[in-house]
Amino acid sequence: MLLTVAAVVVVAVVATVSIFLSLGHSVSPTEREARDEAEIEHVLRTVLDADRPAAVIDLHSAKVRERFHLARSRGVLPEKSDRSDQGQILYVSNYVIEGDLANADVTRLYPDLMETTTTFILVRESGKWLLAE
């Protein structure tokens, strides 16, 4: 009898914990979009602010990584870039996310006070947003 009561209690606790965890891990579409936008912004800022292409190659898509390694093996890829012409990133905006593809605009301010906006394409691979081009 005592074993039956203990078994019932254990099953009830496991069921309650399972329900709580499944509800706790459900994410609303708005929260998912906000997370995707934050991850996309992080990838773009990290890649665009990098001193060396090799330091952030893991944030690029498999296709770009393949081209990077091929260029490096041929000796045509500089290890350090000249960042003086890249400008400072002011903000990332205009996110468009459709499934595993996304694009976002990056606005930069250059030393001559000129602002430019460039659209970047990203792809989701293995659950992570990566720079596609």
Side-chain angles (χ1 to χ4, degrees):
M1 172 92 163
L2 187 59
L3 283 172
T4 307
V5 172
V8 170
V9 170
V10 168
V11 169
V13 168
V14 169
T16 304
V17 169
S18 297
I19 291 170
F20 178 75
L21 289 176
S22 67
L23 292 176
H25 287 294
S26 65
V27 178
S28 74
T30 303
E31 291 172 325
R32 180 165 306 160
E33 185 176 332
R35 278 192 208 166
D36 285 341
E37 289 178 1
E39 185 178 346
I40 287 168
E41 181 168 355
H42 171 73
V43 168
L44 289 170
R45 286 184 179 275
T46 302
V47 169
L48 296 174
D49 283 343
D51 284 334
R52 297 178 307 115
V56 292
I57 193 61
D58 61 319
L59 296 177
H60 289 78
S61 70
K63 184 178 177 182
V64 173
R65 286 193 303 271
E66 182 180 327
R67 289 194 326 235
F68 172 85
H69 291 302
L70 182 61
R72 180 191 253 175
S73 68
R74 292 180 179 167
V76 295
L77 186 69
E79 211 28 57
K80 183 150 176 86
S81 62
D82 178 13
R83 293 184 55 199
S84 63
D85 64 338
Q86 289 182 346
Q88 173 189 2
I89 297 173
L90 294 178
Y91 52 88
V92 181
S93 61
N94 299 327
Y95 299 91
V96 177
I97 302 169
E98 293 182 8
D100 289 340
L101 292 174
N103 64 336
D105 295 340
V106 176
T107 302
R108 295 188 240 187
L109 178 64
Y110 291 88
D112 62 1
L113 301 181
M114 177 180 222
E115 274 187 32
T116 63
T117 301
T118 307
T119 301
F120 290 89
I121 300 169
L122 295 99
V123 62
R124 189 183 345 233
E125 290 180 2
S126 302
K128 291 174 53 178
W129 284 106
L130 304 170
L131 197 57
E133 292 294 327

